Structure formats: structure tokens, C-alpha cells
Amino acid sequence: MTTEIEQPARTIAVLTSGGDAPGMNAAVRAVVRTALERSARVFTIREGFEGMVEGGDRIQAANWDLVGGILHMGGTAIGTARSDRFRTREGRLQAAENLVRAGIDSLVVVGGDGSLTGADMLRREWSSLVEELASSGRLDEATAHRHPPLSIVGLVGSIDNDMFGTDTTIGTDTALHRITEAVDAIASTAASHQRTFVVEVMGRHCGYLALMGAIATGASWVLIPESPPDVDDWEATMCARLKAGREGGRRDSIVIVAEGARDRHGQPITAEHVRKALHERLGEDVRVTILGHVQRGGAPSAFDRYMSTVIGHAAVEELLSAPPGGEAQLIGMKDNRVTRQPLMECVEQTQKVAALVNAGDFAGALAQRGARFESNLRTLRTIVRALPHPVKPGQKRLNIALIHSGGPAPGMNTAVRASVRLALDQGHRILGVRNGFRGFVDGDFREMAWMSVNGWASRGGAELGTNRRVPGDRELYSIARHIESEGVGAILMVGGWSGYQAIHKLRAERERFPAFDIPMICMPASINNNLPGSEISIGSDSALNSIVQAVDKIKQSAVASNRCFVVEVMGRRCGYLALLGGLATGAERVYIHEEGVTLADLQRDLEAMAEGFRQGKRLGLVVRAEEANPLYTTPFMYALFEQEGGDLFDVRQAILGHLQQGGDPSPFDRILATRFADECVRFLVREAESSAPDAVFIGVQEGKVAVTAIEDLPRQMDMKNERPRDQWWRALAPIARLLAQPGPSGG
Ligand code: ADP
């Protein structure tokens, strides 16, 4: 028999420091609530390290409700500051005294590399600071010696996405939302006047926002710190490219400049410099927009809310499981998985890029950013061209049929645009098939030219048309005939489940129809995120943002009364949108088909809801996936809650419906679509050379793009419920449950 040694209860404090970033509130909420549920004591420290130095009411015991109603807010509700006092030992001594007096032994610091460096310094100095406090009589010896060493966990709050150890930092995704909203808006006015705009975005050492902003908006040119133009007269190249774009029919020209952009000699390139160059050399009316602090502001995106929630939760788990005073860890997220790495190693790696840029070693800086950054840059360089590279003499040209299938998913047009340009640039042709497999059967093709997809990066819907038709047995003959008559050498299907079924069918019928012996690939595009072989599908992030925005409004409508909302979201039998939507909006309960719904569940949830209202809650929210249960429908749940809520609360139902499939694609979906397009075109071109070409579906799995043979479909899919057997996001359900309502130990 083993005896468990009980860990002493911890006292955790959370603070936000340095520049504010949307999503910080979600992290603070998750830290406080997880700590309470784990029976730890928890404090918030207001105004960052400055508050820690000041002490008093800046260090405040936190309870469940203190962090209620902040999830959807931008900025940081507990304040942030820059603190010069904390940079001095005297300041840190004072901070240590305040922490010991409050009994705080563990810190979750949400900030940039400066804040995290400061926090680690405090941890390293801790024993000497406490020693000094005791020997000088500021703390009594017993208190000082009883106090455990300080433990630190860092979460990166920085809109620049400039930190090692995590794919994205808190606030980056929201900043990209602000950038795409602004650039989309500017593009429409620019197109009206055939005007050129220079847009400056944040990023002193890191071109992430500029690069991704350019990919997401279809900008015409981009200038970033890590990759300066490789010639001195870069203005001439830029102007020539913009001019060619105009001549090719592009009505809007947009140049995105990172604030830290520079030339190859290290001289800054300002937005004003770019404006002057364009004005003088093209004789055009050029306007500058500096986005500035708009990029920091506003409501956090769905991704920032749920990522910050998940890593905030993980930060507390880390503190509770690690020995006191150990090496500080940075909690981040890579490919939807929580990661932990030594904090100072991440800080050092991060600072190395800035040093390389400053030293003019741009190749080094770019390499340090990682392979994905470089490949994004390469892709961007192709798709911003005004014309494809000329076809090489004697080159074998592949005709790729590009088709949609399934429900509309925001990002489909972005995928088409990128596929067309990447294929054309390599000398191949794209035949757009209209209206899904119906169009294939009817031979409704059109060859897509470079400029035919101009402006599609940001456009919602599906210009080529889509539907859920899976070709019937007798229609296969027509498809085979069109493949032969049009000389189709490959098929790229961008869409959902029906498209996967169709490609599976074509693959299975190769014996009967040799025309199907060509490479085929499915690119996952479905808001439901219910496709095999990919952790994420194009469109689901946009849908999630639509849900989050709708629920924000619904919640605001209920300020005056005790009200509970039952919100129904799409997803069929896949609970992704419901669970992630619930996590990102702070729903008390999420009902999904995977978990099932029983009467006992409903009774228990109803009682918990009623108890919440009795305790003073004014707003309740439950999210139900559309096919969570065929009989316990949304109207049924509405009726049940309404009847049982009595005088305590009233109930409203909201079925969000098709607004989830509409709208412009989110930046995340645009970037994902572009990345997939690159991989799909490469795959098809490569396989076309093979004597036994594969038919596959593509996806992201643990951060890497991977393809799976279409024959594997029945093994990977729960065919009856039309969802993958393995759903990584199910692991988030306990976190959603834990943060939604105080349990017996919470509050
Ligand atoms: P960010 O965290 O966004 O990088 P700053 O670099 O301004 O922002 O850091 C925020 C605060 O963290 C500073 O005002 C200071 O109080 C503290 N800090 C930063 N660097 C250090 C350091 N090297 N030593 C001690 N404290 C630091």
C-alpha cells in the first residue's frame, strides 16, 4: 500500500503585466476558478508588478464571482502597468514582503517577455529577499521561514505572437481579426477609387501580424522585419508589381508594413516612405492608415477566449503538481495541445530573434522563426503576384478539377483563390466545377484565370457553388466521360462529408472506370469540424466566432431580469461547435450528442441552475448541439426550464441557424485554407507523376499536415453519426464543466 503525501494547499496569485492583450481576462478567470475548484487560495494582483510593490488593496482575495462577466471583455479587468520600481531590488523586496504577508507562494504571470523575465528574477532572488526581510525585521523570522519558495508559471500575453514555446500568444488571433476587418474595409474603398493604401500594423521585431494579415486579406505587398527586400532599389520592384497588378485588373492595391520593417541595411522602412515611393513612381493617389492601438482593442476572438481559458487552467494544474520553487515554466499551446517549457529558455530564444534582426542577420532571424513562417512567406510571395510565372517550354501541364461539396463553409473561396494561383504559377490549369458533383455530372466547368479570383481571400460563401449531392452509381459514367473529354488529370475537393463520400466512391470504382485513376485529394472545409484526418476544418473557426458574437449580444439583451438562455448551435452530431462555443462564452452547460442527454442530467442541471439564481446569479446560458438528442429538443428544453424555473428565472431559446455558415471567413480560416491549398496542389502535382496515384484526405494532425488514404475513411469515421472516431477536443469537456459552475468546494 502506498501512502500519498498530501501537498500543502497553495496560495496562488494571478497578475497581468506589460502590454494588455485581448484574452487576458479569460486566462485570469480560468486561473481563479480552477484554483478555487482545487481548494487553493487565490488572489488577483491589480496593476501588474506595480500593484505587487504597492500591496494593500491591490492584492485582493478572489472568489468565483469576481471573475464573472469578464470573459467577453477586451483588455484586462485587473489592470496592467509598467513598473520601474519592480526593476529595482528595493521594489522587488517590497513586492516579496507583500506576497509573504498575504501568504502567496505561487504566481501566474500573464505578460510579454519583459514581464516574464521580471517574474523569474523575483523567483531567483526569493530566498535572499525573504532573508533580508527577516534580518531587517520587516518580517518576523517564523513567518519568513515558514513561507515556501516562490513558484512561477508564465502565460504569454502579447498581440505580436513573438514568443517561443507557444504557437500563438494571447491576443494575436484577436489582433488579426482587427487587422483583417480594417484591411477588408479599406480594400472596398480602395477598389472603388482604384486607390493604393499603405497600412501599418504592429510588430517591432516580429512580422507575424503583417505576414498573416497579408495572407488573410489578399494584400498586394508586405514588408516585415525578418525578411527585408533583397535589393537596394526595392521600391522599383514593389511599384512594378503593383503596376502590373493594376494592368491585370486589380482595382485595389494594399501594402502592409510592419512597424519594425527595415531594408537590408537595417534602415527602417516607414509607411510614409512607402507612400512617397508609390506616389512619386506611380503617380498615384496613395493613402496611409496606421492601425495602431485598434489592434489591441475590442472583444477577444473565440480562439483567444478558449485558448486563454485552457492555458489558464493548465497553469494552475502545473503549479499544484510541481514542487515548490522549481524552475519557472511557460505554459503555451502548440497545435491545440497544452505545452510546458522552461520559461527562461523560451525568453532567451525569443530575444535571440530580435538580436539577429538588429544585427542584420535576416536569414538567421527567419530560420529562428521556424519552417512554417518561412513557408507562409513563400506562399505569400506567389499569391501576391500580378501574373503567374510563364509556363516553361515543354512543361507537362496538369488540369486540376476543383470542386466543392457539402454545406457552405467560410474560407472556401480563400482556398480556391490560393489553389488557383499556386497551381497556375507552376504552369498548371484549374477547372472550376460549378455546383458540386451535380456540375461534374453535367460537365459544368470553367477554366479559372489568375485575376478571376481577385478579392476572394476575404469573401464568405462559395463562389463556385456547393451542395451535398453524392453522385449516384449511374452518374459515375458521366463524371468519367467529362474527366476524359476535359483532360482532367487530378481532382481537388474542398468541402465536407459528402465530398469525402464522393471521392471515396470514385476511388472505389477505379476498376470499372479507369478515368478515376488520377490523384484526388479532399481539403476539409466544414463549419462542423466533423471530418476525418484533421483536427480542424476550414470554416469552423469562423462559425465559432459567429456563435460567440451572437451569444455576446444575446447575453447583453438580458440585463434587467433573471434569465436563462438555451442556445442551439450547428454541428449535426459533432459537438465541436457546441463545446468550444460553450467554453468561449462561459456556458453553464453544454449538451452534445457524443455525451448524450438523459433526464437525470437535465434534472441535475436544472437544479444547479436554480441554485445559481437563488445565490444571486442573473444570467444563465446553456448551449445545445442541434442533434444532441432527437427527443430532448431545444423547444423541449426551453419548456422544461421555463416550467421548472418558476418565479426564479425565465427562459428564452435562440436557435442560431444559418448565420453560422455565413459571414466572411475569420483570419484563422483564411490562413488555414491557404496553407492547405499549398499542400494540396503540391500533392496532386507530385502524384500525377505516379503510376498508381493516391486518393487521400488532407489534414492537420498534431501540428503537421498529413494525408490519409481515402480507403481509410470507414475506419476513421463513425459512419453512423458522421463524425471522426477520434475527437481531440473532447478532452476539453472537463475544463468547460469545471469553469462553468462552482462545485461543492468552489466559490
Ligand atoms: P512586456 O511584458 O509586455 O514585455 P515590459 O517589457 O514593459 O512589457 O515589462 C513589463 C514590466 O515587467 C516592466 O514594467 C517591469 O516592471 C517588469 N520587467 C521587465 N523586464 C524586467 C527585468 N529585466 N527585471 C525586472 N523586471 C522587469
Side-chain angles (χ1 to χ4, degrees):
M1 202 179 105
T2 55
T3 326
E4 266 188 30
I5 301 166
E6 210 176 296
Q7 289 270 358
R10 290 289 182 85
T11 303
I12 298 170
V14 56
L15 68 148
T16 52
S17 170
D20 63 309
M24 281 179 159
N25 287 328
V28 170
R29 170 179 176 271
V31 169
V32 168
R33 292 192 170 177
T34 306
L36 292 171
E37 286 297 301
R38 295 276 183 264
S39 306
R41 292 173 68 217
V42 60
F43 288 82
T44 56
I45 300 178
R46 298 196 173 246
E47 321 305 337
F49 290 125
E50 192 62 13
M52 196 188 281
V53 176
E54 278 178 25
D57 61 5
R58 299 278 191 220
I59 303 178
Q60 191 181 20
N63 59 27
W64 191 270
D65 292 334
L66 185 80
V67 289
I70 61 170
L71 184 59
H72 65 286
M73 288 172 15
T76 164
I78 60 172
T80 180
R82 300 224 144 82
S83 170
D84 287 334
R85 283 198 281 174
F86 190 79
R87 287 181 184 274
T88 65
R89 185 175 159 92
E90 187 46 41
R92 293 192 292 276
L93 192 69
Q94 185 60 52
E97 182 179 342
N98 293 332
L99 294 182
V100 174
R101 286 192 188 285
I104 293 164
D105 52 50
S106 306
L107 288 180
V108 180
V109 180
V110 191
D113 60 342
S115 305
L116 300 178
T117 307
D120 192 61
M121 181 165 286
L122 181 69
R123 183 191 67 84
R124 279 185 286 119
E125 289 177 345
W126 186 256
S127 57
S128 81
L129 293 171
V130 173
E131 202 57 51
E132 187 177 332
L133 289 168
S135 61
S136 62
R138 285 168 70 174
L139 283 179
D140 72 72
E141 293 273 348
T143 310
H145 288 131
R146 231 186 6 250
H147 199 83
L150 186 69
S151 299
I152 304 270
V153 165
L155 303 179
V156 192
S158 156
I159 65 162
D160 292 349
N161 203 24
D162 53 355
M163 192 78 174
F164 261 77
T166 184
D167 269 357
T168 40
T169 55
I170 296 173
T172 302
D173 186 59
T174 307
L176 272 176
H177 274 260
R178 296 297 99 83
I179 291 169
T180 48
E181 284 153 15
V183 176
D184 287 354
I186 287 169
S188 61
T189 161
S192 309
H193 296 271
Q194 299 218 34
R195 209 170 248 162
T196 301
F197 274 81
V198 181
V199 180
E200 185 191 286
V201 303
M202 283 186 171
R204 263 170 304 185
H205 301 291
C206 183
Y208 184 89
L209 290 178
L211 174 60
M212 294 307 179
I215 287 181
T217 56
S220 317
W221 199 253
V222 68
L223 292 152
I224 61 173
E226 301 92 333
S227 179
D230 52 11
V231 291
D232 280 339
D233 193 13
W234 56 269
E235 293 93 335
T237 323
M238 174 182 71
C239 290
R241 188 64 67 78
L242 263 59
K243 189 156 173 273
R246 268 274 191 272
E247 286 163 5
R250 189 186 274 153
R251 292 185 58 89
D252 60 304
S253 301
I254 294 185
V255 178
I256 296 188
V257 188
E259 62 179 336
R262 56 195 79 203
D263 67 18
R264 62 187 186 140
H265 306 292
Q267 290 305 307
I269 298 177
T270 62
E272 177 54 23
H273 179 92
V274 178
R275 186 199 68 77
K276 255 176 89 183
L278 292 168
H279 176 67
E280 282 164 10
R281 298 184 190 215
L282 296 177
E284 281 208 20
D285 188 14
V286 184
R287 305 288 162 96
V288 174
T289 301
I290 295 180
L291 293 186
H293 284 78
V294 164
Q295 295 163 86
R296 243 183 224 299
S301 67
F303 181 83
D304 271 328
R305 295 186 201 193
Y306 98 77
M307 177 189 75
S308 308
T309 298
V310 170
I311 60 178
H313 167 79
V316 173
E317 297 292 353
E318 171 68 25
L319 285 171
L320 296 182
S321 60
E327 186 174 21
Q329 299 294 320
L330 184 135
I331 303 291
M333 210 187 247
K334 278 194 176 209
D335 315 313
N336 298 316
R337 309 290 194 288
V338 172
T339 57
R340 68 190 271 284
Q341 286 173 74
L343 185 142
M344 286 318 287
E345 275 178 29
C346 299
V347 170
E348 277 155 26
Q349 293 287 340
T350 303
Q351 288 167 350
K352 210 159 129 191
V353 185
L356 287 169
V357 169
N358 289 335
D361 181 357
F362 301 111
L366 206 53
Q368 189 78 1
R369 283 266 181 255
R372 205 181 295 171
F373 193 93
E374 285 187 82
S375 79
N376 278 320
L377 191 57
R378 240 188 348 262
T379 304
L380 179 75
R381 289 207 172 112
T382 303
I383 57 180
V384 298
R385 293 179 62 84
L387 284 170
H389 282 101
V391 182
K392 294 186 200 89
Q395 190 198 333
K396 206 169 140 202
R397 303 183 75 181
L398 183 64
N399 290 339
I400 302 172
L402 201 168
I403 187 168
H404 291 313
S405 181
M412 281 179 154
N413 287 327
T414 322
V416 174
R417 167 183 180 267
S419 304
V420 165
R421 293 203 168 168
L422 291 165
L424 263 55
D425 193 54
Q426 294 173 47
H428 305 296
R429 286 199 197 93
I430 295 270
L431 301 173
V433 184
R434 288 182 195 259
N435 297 322
F437 281 92
R438 190 179 304 154
F440 215 142
V441 172
D442 296 343
D444 195 354
F445 297 93
R446 68 164 174 187
E447 184 166 351
M448 303 193 71
W450 190 269
M451 277 299 169
S452 69
V453 290
N454 199 37
W456 286 27
S458 54
R459 202 175 291 174
E463 294 289 322
L464 285 176
T466 185
N467 56 58
R468 294 204 169 83
R469 170 92 157 259
V470 179
D473 288 343
R474 267 182 270 149
E475 291 169 330
L476 296 180
Y477 172 74
S478 304
I479 293 181
R481 204 162 46 88
H482 291 305
I483 288 179
E484 280 162 1
S485 64
E486 297 283 338
V488 171
I491 300 176
L492 169 53
M493 193 294 299
V494 181
W497 179 228
S498 55
Y500 283 62
Q501 288 173 293
I503 296 294
H504 185 252
K505 197 163 188 174
L506 297 194
R507 171 69 185 81
E509 296 289 350
R510 272 182 178 174
E511 297 250 313
R512 269 208 302 154
F513 299 100
F516 298 159
D517 217 359
I518 53 175
M520 304 180 213
I521 193 164
C522 303
M523 189 193 302
S526 160
I527 66 161
N528 299 339
N529 199 25
N530 60 347
L531 298 170
S534 192
E535 288 166 7
I536 201 83
S537 59
I538 299 164
S540 55
D541 183 65
S542 306
L544 213 47
N545 278 291
S546 298
I547 292 170
V548 163
Q549 284 162 16
V551 173
D552 280 355
K553 287 184 189 148
I554 288 171
K555 280 176 134 183
Q556 277 169 356
S557 75
V559 282
S561 54
N562 283 355
R563 184 164 287 176
C564 171
F565 287 100
V566 180
V567 175
E568 180 186 301
V569 303
M570 282 184 167
R572 300 185 160 221
R573 291 191 175 178
C574 176
Y576 177 82
L577 288 178
L579 183 69
L580 276 275
L583 250 181
T585 53
E588 273 82 5
R589 184 68 164 96
V590 176
Y591 299 100
I592 60 177
H593 184 269
E594 288 88 340
E595 289 177 356
V597 190
T598 66
L599 190 58
D601 290 337
L602 290 171
Q603 242 167 347
R604 201 179 45 238
D605 298 339
L606 198 61
E607 187 38 50
M609 187 68 74
E611 183 54 28
F613 280 105
R614 265 182 232 117
Q615 303 281 335
K617 171 210 280 292
R618 298 206 353 243
L619 191 75
L621 173 68
V622 301
V623 175
R624 182 184 170 282
E626 58 185 350
E627 291 184 23
N629 183 297
L631 296 176
Y632 299 152
T633 59
T634 302
F636 170 82
M637 285 175 56
Y638 157 74
L640 184 74
F641 277 57
E642 175 69 16
Q643 175 66 27
E644 299 296 320
D647 292 338
L648 213 46
F649 59 95
D650 62 15
V651 186
R652 294 288 183 276
Q653 69 173 31
I655 296 174
L656 298 187
H658 284 84
L659 70 82
Q660 296 160 88
Q661 289 181 333
D664 293 340
S666 70
F668 183 95
D669 279 332
R670 299 182 198 189
I671 293 163
L672 185 67
T674 307
R675 183 175 170 207
F676 276 149
D678 181 31
E679 299 281 353
C680 286
V681 169
R682 273 172 208 266
F683 172 85
L684 293 174
V685 171
R686 202 172 51 234
E687 282 298 307
E689 296 296 315
S690 156
S691 56
D694 259 346
V696 298
F697 44 94
I698 198 169
V700 201
Q701 292 170 24
E702 297 188 5
K704 297 206 174 54
V705 172
V707 296
T708 314
I710 195 92
E711 296 94 303
D712 224 22
L713 204 63
R715 205 176 55 79
Q716 294 216 0
M717 282 295 272
D718 170 350
M719 300 293 254
K720 183 162 154 265
N721 293 311
E722 300 188 353
R723 65 183 179 227
R725 291 183 200 280
D726 181 23
Q727 296 170 297
W728 64 271
W729 50 267
R730 296 277 311 272
L732 302 176
I735 304 177
R737 214 166 293 133
L738 184 141
L739 295 180
Q741 291 195 22
S745 63

